[in-house]
Amino acid sequence: MATLLDRVPSVVAGRLPGRLGEQAGRSVVSVVRLHGVITPALGPAARAVLNLGTVEPVLKRAFGFERLAGVALLINSPGGSATQSALIADRIRGLAEEHGKDGKAVPVLAFCEDVAASGGYWLACAADQIYAHKTSLVGSIGVVSGGFGLVGLLDRIGVERRVHTAGTNKVRLDPFLPEKAEDVRWLTGLQGELHQQFQAWVRERRGDRLVEADTELFNGEVWTGVNAHRLGLVDGLGTPREILAERFPDAEPQPVEGRKPLLARLGVGGGGLSGRLSGGGLADDLLHAAEVRAAWARFGL
């Protein structure tokens, strides 16, 4: 039986298994799974969310192979933060240009799994070509925000809330105060600006492949893979296995995942401590989990 120390050298070396195939002379297609809600918050389950901090190290390794033929992004996300979506997409494009050869960027293919909606589709548009399964849910090119109206709640439970500000617009849409029409107009204006940026990104990346009028494409609707293909939101239907085998017949697919802490890679210890160190208390963790669950539930998942 191997001892703990017997297992250390191979783990510390940190060599990706696929490097062996690369050293044997075969080219590599890196396969990166982008799964989760896109949010700057980590919460107790950081591996279940996407943001630049969690994704960038994986992307850098994916583009770091010497004989890199392409990068495949397996996307399964209901969306989330517009800013984090844009940051991740920009990093993908930057790495593709940086590691390209002969003046050509590294080919990037995106594969929509259960859902690539809203910010998830923003990520897909970072690819040169997008594929989906015929049952995938794709699109939702729009902006949404939500909250709760808790007017009168504190009075009923005998709690006095005190908020002091410098600046007349420092506090907007306070859930404990009646909603103001001017605050709604402000929020609508922000959403409209973000929506325009989203549309510009899709037009930039998809170009003349889009075949329908803006009123249909950019109204926030979600389509199956079949209809997304009809609308030009994706380039084809199929699975990563068959598409990659056709596009890169001589390359070896290489999954690239985030590095786990050393003890986790050795199979020692659990995740309880990391959850307690994540920052917020139990209430924050439960709220974050509920928000993540609600994001998937919007698509019946």
Side-chain angles (χ1 to χ4, degrees), residues 11-32:
V11 175
V12 173
R15 175 171 291 173
L16 293 172
R19 296 288 188 189
L20 299 177
E22 185 187 38
Q23 291 171 352
R26 297 193 66 180
S27 57
V28 170
V29 176
S30 298
V31 180
V32 179

Side-chain angles (χ1 to χ4, degrees), residues 244-290:
L244 293 178
E246 179 182 344
R247 281 290 308 274
F248 306 101
D250 299 322
E252 178 74 20
Q254 172 59 63
V256 181
E257 299 179 350
R259 293 190 186 280
K260 299 179 182 179
L262 178 59
L263 291 180
R265 281 184 272 160
L266 292 172
V268 178
L273 179 61
S274 63
R276 290 192 293 274
L277 295 178
S278 61
L282 177 61
D284 289 337
D285 291 347
L286 291 175
L287 179 60
H288 175 70

Side-chain angles (χ1 to χ4, degrees), residues 114 132-139 221-231 233-234 237:
D114 298 88
H133 191 272
K134 61 183 180 181
T135 63
S136 300
L137 299 180
V138 180
E221 187 60 88
V222 180
W223 295 275
T224 63
V226 173
N227 284 318
H229 186 210
R230 174 180 61 83
L231 295 168
L233 295 173
V234 304
L237 303 176

